[in-house]
Amino acid sequence: STARNLGLEKVSGKYICFIDDDDYILNHHLSSFKNAIINKKYKQEILRIGYKYNSGTKIGPIYSKAQHRNPIQFALKNMCGLWTLCIPTQYCADIRFPEEFPHWQDTYYILRLLANHSIKQLREVSYVYRIHDHMGSLLVQNEEQLKTRAYINVAAILGFRKQYFEEISDRVNTEIFDFLAAEKFAMYAVMAKQYGFKNLSKTLMRESRRNYYSIKLWKYYVRWVFG
C-alpha cells in the first residue's frame, strides 16, 4: 500500500494501470485500453480487462450487467483484481490505499472507486495472474504469521464496513461483510490444518462460525473436517 500510494502521488498520466511484480501482461494489454478509450462509446468509465491464471486457458471472473447485480457486488464476491483496471487518474485524487492493512487492500481500494464510478468490461484477456509457491498470499513461515494474516484480512473487511459502508449502502447490505469475514476465517482454518496448526485451525473455524454460519461455505467446512 505504501508503494502504491507513493506511485499515486507521482503519477502524471491521464490513466492509471497497476501490475503486480510476479505477474505479467500480454502485448495487447495497453492497446486494448487505448482502443476502448478512443471509441465513441467510452464515457469515462473505469475499464476492466480479462485475466487468466498462469499461462493456461482458465479465465478469471468477468463482470456482466446481465449476471451481476452491480459492480460492488461483483468486486465483493469475486477476485476483481486491481490490475485488471484502467482508471482515470482524476478518480484516484482523493483515494489512497489503507496502509494499516497489508491484506485485502486491493478490494478495499476497488470498492472506494466503484462507490462513485461505473465500470466497463472489455472482451479482451491480456493480464496473466501467476499462482506459485512463493506468492505472498500462500507463503507461510510459521503459525503466528498465519494467525496474524487471518486477523488482518478480517480487520480490513470489517474496517471498510465501519468506515465506508455508507458509500455503497444503496447497493449491498452489511450482511455480506459478515459473510466475507467468515469466509476468510474458514479459508485460513483450512490452511492452518494443512500446515499442522491444529489448535489455531480450531480457533479460526470458531471465529468463522461466530461471524456468520452459511451453507455457502460448505466447501471450507468439508475440507476442514476431512482435509
Side-chain angles (χ1 to χ4, degrees):
S1 292
T2 303
R4 284 172 170 169
N5 285 339
L6 178 61
L8 291 175
E9 295 294 336
K10 301 292 185 179
V11 70
S12 59
K14 293 182 179 180
Y15 300 92
I16 296 174
C17 297
F18 292 87
I19 180 172
D20 282 2
D21 59 357
D22 54 350
D23 299 335
Y24 63 93
I25 55 177
L26 302 182
N27 290 337
H28 62 287
H29 184 72
L30 295 180
S31 61
S32 295
F33 287 132
K34 180 181 178 180
N35 291 338
I37 289 169
I38 63 177
N39 188 301
K40 293 181 180 179
K41 295 181 180 179
Y42 176 64
K43 299 178 181 179
Q44 288 295 106
E45 303 102 331
I46 295 173
L47 299 176
R48 182 175 188 270
I49 209 157
Y51 70 92
K52 63 179 181 177
Y53 295 92
N54 296 332
S55 57
T57 58
K58 183 180 179 181
I59 305 299
I62 298 295
Y63 173 68
S64 167
K65 291 183 179 180
Q67 296 180 6
H68 304 101
R69 188 177 302 174
N70 56 62
I72 297 290
Q73 286 272 2
F74 173 78
L76 283 169
K77 294 183 177 181
N78 301 276
M79 188 167 76
C80 180
L82 181 70
W83 22 261
T84 65
L85 307 179
C86 178
I87 311 161
T89 302
Q90 59 183 327
Y91 296 171
C92 302
D94 300 320
I95 305 177
R96 291 296 179 266
F97 289 88
E99 297 183 11
E100 68 272 29
F101 299 126
H103 306 294
W104 209 72
Q105 75 278 19
D106 282 22
T107 303
Y108 199 109
Y109 195 82
I110 290 170
L111 293 177
R112 299 284 329 273
L113 286 171
L114 297 183
N116 297 301
H117 306 290
S118 59
I119 191 172
K120 181 181 180 67
Q121 178 73 54
L122 305 183
R123 297 176 62 183
E124 293 86 352
V125 176
S126 64
Y127 192 94
V128 181
Y129 178 73
R130 293 183 61 242
I131 300 176
H132 53 89
D133 293 339
H134 297 287
M135 64 191 303
S137 59
L138 297 180
L139 190 62
V140 176
Q141 297 177 340
N142 53 59
E143 183 174 358
E144 188 60 31
Q145 181 210 44
L146 183 61
K147 176 182 177 181
T148 300
R149 189 180 296 171
Y151 281 94
I152 289 178
N153 261 279
V154 172
I157 293 169
L158 300 183
F160 181 94
R161 181 179 68 180
K162 180 178 181 180
Q163 191 168 1
Y164 295 112
F165 177 72
E166 288 302 318
E167 293 183 359
I168 60 173
S169 60
D170 59 330
R171 282 157 286 182
V172 295
N173 54 42
T174 58
E175 185 179 6
I176 193 171
F177 289 91
D178 293 325
F179 173 82
L180 291 172
E183 183 179 42
K184 283 293 182 183
F185 274 132
M187 181 187 76
Y188 280 104
V190 172
M191 191 179 298
K193 189 174 183 180
Q194 290 173 341
Y195 278 92
F197 308 144
K198 294 182 180 180
N199 290 334
L200 175 60
S201 180
K202 292 178 181 178
T203 298
L204 294 177
M205 187 55 74
R206 282 197 299 268
E207 291 280 14
S208 175
R209 292 173 177 173
R210 183 178 64 82
N211 277 272
Y212 195 89
Y213 184 79
S214 173
I215 192 63
K216 295 179 181 179
L217 298 175
W218 68 269
K219 291 183 179 179
Y220 294 104
Y221 300 153
V222 170
R223 289 172 61 191
W224 186 73
V225 172
F226 300 103

